[in-house]
Amino acid sequence: MSDAQDPSKDVESWVTGDEPATGPQLSYLETLAREAGEEVPPDLTKAEASKMIDRLQGASPRTARDKPSRTPEDEADRGTGP
């Protein structure tokens, strides 16, 4: 599988990772952050938002679980991806 098709590609390697976070990312982050008692920093990039989503999901009893590697469909649902 090429890097462009690999859903486990490091977010730092994303071509669009330095673009501003998407609306869906920010909306989901606001929900996760509220549940965790945290605030979402302003001006997050797509890559930063994805990392924060992963961290907050892992810390939330509602969303934490043994998850398989992210799939392209997961990334599309979250408004992220390479």
Side-chain angles (χ1 to χ4, degrees):
M1 184 180 305
S2 74
D3 284 346
Q5 297 171 334
D6 184 359
S8 64
K9 184 175 178 179
D10 181 52
V11 294
E12 298 300 328
S13 300
W14 290 356
V15 173
T16 61
D18 60 346
E19 293 179 2
T22 65
Q25 280 182 308
L26 293 172
S27 176
Y28 188 41
L29 268 176
E30 289 293 340
T31 300
L32 291 171
R34 183 174 47 253
E35 291 173 357
E38 294 188 27
E39 292 189 23
V40 177
D43 303 321
L44 287 176
T45 65
K46 287 180 180 179
E48 292 166 337
S50 181
K51 287 183 197 177
M52 189 171 182
I53 287 169
D54 288 344
R55 181 178 60 79
L56 291 174
Q57 280 180 327
S60 170
R62 183 175 62 86
T63 59
R65 62 186 183 274
D66 291 330
K67 296 183 280 188
S69 296
R70 289 183 284 191
T71 65
E73 292 79 16
D74 295 334
E75 296 301 327
D77 290 345
R78 286 182 22 193
T80 63

